[in-house]
């Protein structure tokens, strides 16, 4: 695999760290800025809002920008956003920094996936994309716990300054290692928007929303689930969440390898496994060892479906993949918000801490249904084009017979 993938993985590591570290720093930030924890929670939402807005917007307005220059610019914006967060004099400036940090997230992963896939032969595209995403999953194992610990001991501003330094390292890596990739002829916004005329693209985006909403319906409330039902102490939850990162890393690399062999079956297998794991969680949550094991399996199943989802949307928008791939990142964050909302609804109705897992399993099943519908549509279209091709060959043969008869006559 090209060494340039390491630069993309370092970028993903920094993005993953800044995305999730705020959850662990909320009490410190709220105390330092003299605000409440619920108000400080808007810093999490602000980042997600930046992702949802920035993913399609930045991908759309930069369609004619060379890929390498675009990656450098996006990481530059990411670095500026984290530096602003570190130097923010008050809550409003910190919120602005978080939104600014989130803006390049989706566009970077969207364009980065296209670049990663373009640097290898077709048989290894999904594995290349999964290696880039590995930076994000490793961030959950190492980056987020380390950054949280740093913030708790040296202050939350030190965390964002450190992430800014990671951004600078990523910029240097992209500049040195990523080759210049020429734009496809005839590219531009109109070409990129043409991908959204495809019903298959919309089906894939819908699969992403429901599939990952299933994950976040549970993951958003996994801490109280582990403490209130499984009996973990609050200090042990961080270790269990690191285990989720281990599972996510394994699942991501596995999903990339399987997707290169059979893309849609890999996606269906990942989503089906996710539904099963979430249903099992309602039982295994009642013992610490089985709950911890299921958290690992949850990470494996969730991210085993991630790379196939990204590759499928790029395949269905193969003539204009950048904007569709970025839109898929926005879909991931819509899944984050929607899954967390649904998990909160079932908890608010007093259905118990296992109810989010049931709700998540239902969402995963819907994702399987949408992906299956896309596969059936794909198969029917292939049969139709095959029949049309056969029909055209018959017509050509008939014309040849007629012309031959005319010459004989």
């Amino acid at each position: 695999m090209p060494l340039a993938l390491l630069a993309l993985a370092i970028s993903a590591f920094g993005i993953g760290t800044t995305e999730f570290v705020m959850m662990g720093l909320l009490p410190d930030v709220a105390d330092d800025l003299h605000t409440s924890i619920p108000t400080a929670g808007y810093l999490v939402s602000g980042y997600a809002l930046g992702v949802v807005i920035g993913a399609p917007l930045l991908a759309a307005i930069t369609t004619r920008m060379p890929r390498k220059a675009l990656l450098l610019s996006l990481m530059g914006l990411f670095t500026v956003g984290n530096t602003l967060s570190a130097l923010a004099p008050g809550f409003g400036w910190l919120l602005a920094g978080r939104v600014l940090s989130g803006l390049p997230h989706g566009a970077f992963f969207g364009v980065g996936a296209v670049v990663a896939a373009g640097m290898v032969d077709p048989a290894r595209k999904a594995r290349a994309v999964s290696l880039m995403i590995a930076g994000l999953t490793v961030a959950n194992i190492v980056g987020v716990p380390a950054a949280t610990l740093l913030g708790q001991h040296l202050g939350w501003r030190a965390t964002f300054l450190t992430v800014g330094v990671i951004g600078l390292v990523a910029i240097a890596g992209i500049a040195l290692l990523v080759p210049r990739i020429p734009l496809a002829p005839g590219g531009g916004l109109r070409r990129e928007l043409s991908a959204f005329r495809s019903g298959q693209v919309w089906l894939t985006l819908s699969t992403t929303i429901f599939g990952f909403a299933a994950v976040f319906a549970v993951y958003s409330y996994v801490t109280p689930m582990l403490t209130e039902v499984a009996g973990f102490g609050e200090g042990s939850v961080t270790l269990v969440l690191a285990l989720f990162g281990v599972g996510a890393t394994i699942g991501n690399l596995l999903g990339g390898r399987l997707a290169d062999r059979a893309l849609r079956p890999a996606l269906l297998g990942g989503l089906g496994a996710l539904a099963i794991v979430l249903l099992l969680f309602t039982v295994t949550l009642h013992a610490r060892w089985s709950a911890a094991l299921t958290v690992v399996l949850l990470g494996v199943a969730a991210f085993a479906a991630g790379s196939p989802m990204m590759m499928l949307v790029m395949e269905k928008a193969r003539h204009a993949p950048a904007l569709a791939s970025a839109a898929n990142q926005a879909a991931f964050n819509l899944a984050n918000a929607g899954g967390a909302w649904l998990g909160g609804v079932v908890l608010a109705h007093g259905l118990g801490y296992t109810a989010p897992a049931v709700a998540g399993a239902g969402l995963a099943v819907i994702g399987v249904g949408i992906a299956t519908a896309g596969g059936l549509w794909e198969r029917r279209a292939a049969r139709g084009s095959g029949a049309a091709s056969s029909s055209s060959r018959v017509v050509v043969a008939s014309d040849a017979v007629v012309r031959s008869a005319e010459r004989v006559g």
Side-chain angles (χ1 to χ4, degrees):
M1 287 290 180
L3 193 58
L5 292 174
L6 176 62
L8 298 180
I10 292 171
S11 304
F13 178 84
I15 291 172
T17 299
T18 205
E19 179 180 15
F20 294 108
V21 75
M22 184 55 73
M23 286 79 156
L25 294 178
L26 278 182
D28 302 271
V29 172
D31 183 62
D32 186 55
L33 297 181
H34 308 293
T35 189
S36 67
I37 287 181
T39 299
Y42 290 127
L43 298 170
V44 177
S45 303
Y47 184 92
L49 179 64
V51 177
V52 173
I53 294 174
L57 178 63
L58 291 179
I61 65 178
T62 58
T63 52
R64 294 190 178 276
M65 191 172 181
R67 301 296 186 215
K68 181 172 180 176
L70 177 54
L71 290 174
L72 289 169
S73 300
L74 291 171
M75 284 310 297
L77 185 60
F78 169 83
T79 303
V80 170
N82 280 281
T83 304
L84 176 60
S85 297
L87 303 177
F91 180 82
W93 282 102
L94 178 55
L95 181 60
R98 290 292 290 169
V99 173
L100 188 62
S101 300
L103 285 175
H105 176 130
F108 182 89
F109 277 106
V111 175
V114 175
V115 170
M119 289 191 293
V120 298
D121 60 76
R124 297 191 296 170
K125 284 185 175 183
R127 270 174 282 182
V129 172
S130 71
L131 286 174
M132 179 190 71
I133 300 174
L136 181 67
T137 59
V138 171
N140 282 283
I141 305 171
V142 179
V144 173
T148 301
L149 194 64
L150 178 69
Q152 290 170 344
H153 285 80
L154 298 181
W156 59 269
R157 296 178 188 275
T159 293
F160 292 109
L161 278 176
T162 302
V163 174
V165 171
I166 294 173
L168 291 175
V169 173
I171 289 171
I174 293 170
L176 292 173
L177 299 176
V178 175
R180 295 187 181 277
I181 300 174
L183 289 173
L189 180 57
R190 182 174 297 179
R191 180 188 175 101
E192 291 290 334
L193 287 173
S194 68
F196 295 96
R197 297 174 189 163
S198 167
Q200 285 281 8
V201 169
W202 287 106
L203 280 176
T204 306
L205 293 175
S206 300
T207 303
T208 297
I209 292 173
F210 282 97
F212 267 77
V215 179
F216 286 107
V218 174
Y219 192 72
S220 303
Y221 304 97
V222 70
T223 296
M225 290 170 72
L226 292 172
T227 55
E228 298 297 326
V229 182
F232 281 99
E234 291 187 1
S236 304
V237 170
T238 301
L239 176 60
V240 178
L241 295 183
L243 292 177
F244 176 86
V246 171
T249 302
I250 295 170
N252 171 54
L253 297 176
L254 177 64
R257 186 170 291 274
L258 293 175
D260 278 331
R261 294 183 179 180
L263 180 53
R264 196 173 289 276
L267 174 57
L268 289 170
L271 290 173
L274 178 60
I276 293 170
V277 169
L278 287 170
L279 286 176
L280 284 175
F281 205 18
T282 62
V283 178
T284 60
L285 187 59
H286 296 278
R288 278 180 287 183
W289 71 268
S290 56
L293 176 60
T294 309
V295 167
V296 176
L297 294 176
L298 178 61
V300 173
F303 280 82
S307 294
M309 283 179 187
M310 292 183 68
M311 288 305 303
L312 188 60
V313 78
M314 286 194 293
E315 180 186 278
K316 297 308 174 187
R318 64 172 60 91
H319 300 300
L323 183 55
S325 184
N328 202 43
Q329 296 302 311
F332 276 118
N333 278 268
L334 287 174
N336 186 337
W341 171 80
L342 182 59
V345 167
V346 297
L347 285 175
H349 281 76
L351 299 178
Y353 280 109
T354 59
V358 177
L363 291 170
V365 169
I366 294 173
V368 170
I370 296 172
T372 301
L376 293 173
W377 184 2
E378 190 177 73
R379 190 175 303 174
R380 190 178 300 114
R383 282 201 299 264
S385 62
S389 177
S390 298
S391 176
S392 64
R393 286 196 296 269
V394 170
V395 170
V396 170
S398 300
D399 288 344
V401 170
V402 170
R403 287 195 298 271
S404 177
E406 288 174 347
R407 285 196 297 270
V408 172

